Amino acid sequence: MDEMEQMRAQALAAINAAVTLDALEAERVAALGKQGWISALLKTLGAMSPEKRQEEGPKIQGLRQEVADAIAARKGALEAAALEAQLASQTIDLTLPAPEAPQGSVHPIGQVMDELAEIFADLGFSVATGPEIEDDWHNFTALNMPESHPARAMHDTFYFPDTRLHNAAQQRSMLLRTHTSPVQIRAMLARGAPLRVIAPGRVYRSDSDATHTPMFHQIEGLVIDKGIHLGHLKWTLETFLKAFFEREDIVLRLRPSYFPFTEPSVEVDVGYSLVNGKRVIGGADGWMEVLGSGMVNRKVIAAGGLDPDEWQGFAFGTGVDRLAMLKYGMDDLRAFFDGDARWLAHYGFSAFDQPTLSGGVGAVA
Ligand code: PHE
């Protein structure tokens, strides 16, 4: 009994003297661990007579509890002290400048697409999308280019050879869309009329030089409503180009043209002026072709599931990359897709510079 009392006093003293959590843990193991002395005492209970056990049991259990409580209390005190010390040693200086970090930038194409979405949203257009892997029907047939149509040859299409073999009968051969015009069909079928959508996105043609890349970007516009005529088309394009180039002196020239999916079709030139030998959009020193457009062909309206006697519309399509080059003064299209960090640092836009109509859609590069 005396021995137990002595052990108890020793253990409690050691526990309260422990200055680290490791030292405390060592005391816990020595007393309460599998081989610990209190655990050994508990084991002696089994061999005792019932009377003796009744007498010794509560003492040993009480001792175990007392030591466990002492360890928990000391642990709490040590942890609190450790936290205090940590808080005292760590400081944070909120006046320091933010650390140097690699900064990304918004690619001019993304920037221009955002600008276009913002401009057209103001005119009541929503954004429509379609797949880049498109089927023959949406890309050609529904746009009034049946299998034998000569205009198909102008597109240098990337076909998927397997699907063409398997699905030729259903005209479901698959390809990389050659323009965003198939989204006209998808939007009409999905949303019906009236309709005002733009469809920006990637398109593909097997073509490559300084002004052509196999993948490039277009934006499509489609309006379907009642009593729509060429005047609506011209006003819309003029309003859009003035907002995009942020100039009032935008002059448009509409030239008769041909697209299978519009009738009549017009190619739209925008006037430029020469400033120090460089072409700047605005004025009328010369003309640059910027858009294909026209009144939606009746057959296309029918392919979109609408009655062409009831609904009319206009459509336009243009190259986003080209618009970016004209607005922000880059001259090699291929640089858009090189992923050169220096080019991006120079021509990219800050992610904090979101185009908004209130803030002005043209960001400062
Ligand atoms: N899809 C045509 C092209 O890729 C552009 C266009 C779109 C023309 C809509 C008229 C109407 O060249």
Side-chain angles (χ1 to χ4, degrees):
M1 191 58 240
D2 276 353
E3 194 193 349
M4 189 166 130
E5 181 50 39
Q6 211 180 328
M7 296 283 280
R8 171 185 168 276
Q10 250 177 35
L12 292 178
I15 288 165
N16 287 321
V19 289
T20 65
L21 287 168
D22 284 347
L24 184 63
E25 175 63 9
E27 293 305 327
R28 188 193 65 79
V29 171
L32 303 174
K34 259 202 171 122
Q35 316 288 333
W37 64 275
I38 294 180
S39 306
L41 279 178
L42 283 166
K43 278 180 211 148
T44 61
L45 289 172
M48 290 177 191
S49 65
E51 297 77 33
K52 181 117 166 118
R53 190 184 306 140
Q54 279 226 324
E55 197 184 315
E56 293 297 317
K59 283 190 203 159
I60 300 175
Q61 290 293 2
L63 174 67
R64 189 193 62 80
Q65 192 58 52
E66 192 183 5
V67 169
D69 288 348
I71 290 172
R74 185 67 189 156
K75 190 168 182 214
L78 287 176
E79 281 172 350
L83 183 61
E84 280 301 323
Q86 191 185 8
L87 289 176
S89 71
Q90 290 179 348
T91 54
I92 174 167
D93 184 350
L94 294 174
T95 65
L96 283 174
E100 279 283 325
Q103 284 182 359
S105 61
V106 176
H107 194 285
I109 293 172
Q111 171 74 23
V112 165
M113 286 204 186
D114 287 348
E115 292 177 17
L116 295 173
E118 189 68 16
I119 291 167
F120 279 105
D122 190 46
L123 300 176
F125 288 67
S126 60
V127 173
T129 57
E132 289 168 34
I133 296 175
E134 188 53 283
D135 60 63
D136 191 280
W137 188 80
H138 285 92
N139 195 81
F140 290 127
T141 311
L143 291 165
N144 191 32
M145 283 181 274
E147 194 80 43
S148 58
H149 200 283
R152 283 189 175 214
M154 289 160 48
H155 278 209
D156 299 312
T157 311
F158 289 112
Y159 281 98
F160 289 83
D162 293 342
T163 54
R164 190 167 165 75
L165 285 180
H166 293 144
N167 298 321
Q170 301 103 292
Q171 290 191 316
R172 298 287 293 181
S173 50
M174 303 303 283
L175 44 85
L176 292 176
R177 68 178 179 191
T178 57
H179 50 177
T180 42
S181 299
V183 185
Q184 289 188 29
I185 303 295
R186 291 186 175 275
M188 279 188 275
L189 289 172
R191 304 190 191 182
L195 188 63
R196 265 185 246 181
V197 289
I198 53 165
R202 294 192 182 101
V203 300
Y204 302 82
R205 292 183 200 177
S206 179
D207 205 353
S208 192
D209 59 40
T211 51
H212 297 89
T213 47
M215 185 280 291
F216 58 106
H217 300 81
Q218 284 191 335
I219 183 164
E220 193 83 7
L222 175 68
V223 168
I224 301 284
D225 212 322
K226 293 185 176 170
I228 296 291
H229 54 73
L230 263 177
H232 296 119
L233 168 64
K234 190 176 183 208
W235 180 88
T236 303
L237 295 181
E238 212 167 78
T239 304
F240 142 54
L241 290 168
K242 280 180 180 170
F244 180 72
F245 287 108
E246 297 174 279
R247 295 179 68 125
E248 275 303 309
D249 61 347
I250 298 285
V251 192
L252 295 189
R253 190 172 74 171
L254 271 53
R255 271 183 297 112
S257 182
Y258 174 77
F259 297 103
F261 30 92
T262 46
E263 183 57 40
S265 299
V266 283
E267 233 145 9
V268 181
D269 296 339
V270 62
Y272 64 80
S273 38
L274 285 169
V275 180
N276 301 326
K278 276 196 85 163
R279 293 177 174 189
V280 176
I281 298 294
D285 290 347
W287 300 99
M288 229 185 274
E289 186 197 320
V290 289
L291 282 140
S293 66
M295 303 306 296
V296 182
N297 192 304
R298 291 175 58 89
K299 290 185 187 167
V300 173
I301 291 180
L306 299 170
D307 178 358
D309 287 332
E310 195 182 346
W311 300 101
Q312 299 78 45
F314 65 79
F316 56 87
T318 183
V320 174
D321 321 78
R322 182 106 193 294
L323 288 178
M325 290 167 81
L326 285 175
K327 180 166 179 179
Y328 293 112
M330 308 124 188
D331 44 25
D332 190 350
L333 178 64
R334 288 170 297 194
F336 276 58
F337 309 115
D338 282 346
D340 184 330
R342 290 161 306 175
W343 189 89
L344 284 168
H346 182 77
Y347 286 110
F349 296 85
S350 164
F352 296 117
D353 221 350
Q354 290 295 315
T356 60
L357 286 168
S358 57
V361 288
V364 186

